[in-house]
Amino acid sequence: MKAKFLVPLLLFFGLAGFLAFGLTLNPREVPSPLIDKPAPNFSLARLDQPEQAFALEEMRGEVWLLNVWASWCVACREEHPVLVRMAQQKLVPIVGLNYKEVRGDGAINPRGLALEAETGMAIERARRWLTDHGDPYVLSVLDIDGRVGIDFGVYGVPETFLIDREGKIRYKHIGPITPEALQNVLIPKIEEVRRAG
């Protein structure tokens, strides 16, 4: 009779223990299997010159950030002034990955929209946003369908990847970069990667 009540009680305490442990974890620290591995190679159209492509290899030899953003992203508005200040201070080159500019916006139905029309709409929206809010990027590229974002394991926008001189991902920041995160986490990581060679 006592075992009948003891089993559910033990299950309850076991589940409560797992829940309590889960609540101690930081949701911004989602482990990425790409850390210390080569960044996925890509070649995408540039936002400023869509007839030209930018390839990951062009940044070889530099420590830089790949920042995933979109004009429809509310958290990107929070992060953007921090990126603009970083660019003004020339902390590190930042390349923007404009992610699903049209497809990610729930207010727009891209069905039946030709790729050329979608690309034109994405360019117009992204350029307008950067004109209105400032452009911290050395350049931005268009990830129209989100495939490059998928290759990088993007969960949502914004996300930022610190990439070393050899093209390896050394750190992934999920969510907006705040002034505190910049000062306490990102700048020390950038300096650490630079020192490592």
Side-chain angles (χ1 to χ4, degrees), residues 53-193:
F54 167 81
L56 182 79
E57 282 296 311
E58 293 178 44
M59 296 302 286
R60 187 164 294 274
E62 291 199 55
V63 174
W64 60 287
L65 297 177
L66 179 69
N67 177 255
V68 184
W69 70 280
S71 68
W72 47 262
C73 164
V74 176
C76 295
R77 290 181 190 268
E78 176 187 337
E79 171 184 72
H80 204 73
V82 176
L83 297 177
V84 170
R85 280 193 300 280
M86 286 177 68
Q88 290 167 345
Q89 296 169 358
K90 298 186 184 328
L91 292 176
V92 65
I94 308 169
V95 173
L97 179 72
N98 181 257
Y99 182 71
K100 293 183 170 183
E101 181 60 46
V102 175
R103 295 177 191 194
D105 188 343
I108 298 173
N109 182 2
R111 283 192 177 161
L113 197 59
L115 182 59
E116 288 177 9
E118 183 179 1
T119 302
M121 187 183 294
I123 290 169
E124 179 186 332
R125 289 166 49 105
R127 284 180 179 171
R128 184 176 345 114
W129 198 83
L130 291 176
T131 298
D132 291 347
H133 300 282
D135 188 351
Y137 305 111
V138 292
L139 63 97
S140 277
V141 293
L142 298 163
D143 190 11
I144 298 291
D145 58 8
R147 287 186 186 169
V148 171
I150 290 169
D151 290 345
F152 272 80
V154 171
Y155 293 100
V157 183
E159 288 187 14
T160 304
F161 299 85
L162 174 60
I163 302 174
D164 72 9
R165 290 180 177 91
E166 296 174 3
K168 291 181 180 177
I169 297 173
R170 295 300 182 186
Y171 174 70
K172 177 181 181 179
H173 184 87
I174 296 173
I177 298 172
T178 62
E180 297 77 24
L182 175 63
Q183 200 62 43
N184 300 331
V185 179
L186 201 52
I187 290 176
K189 293 268 186 199
I190 291 167
E191 290 171 357
E192 177 186 324
V193 169

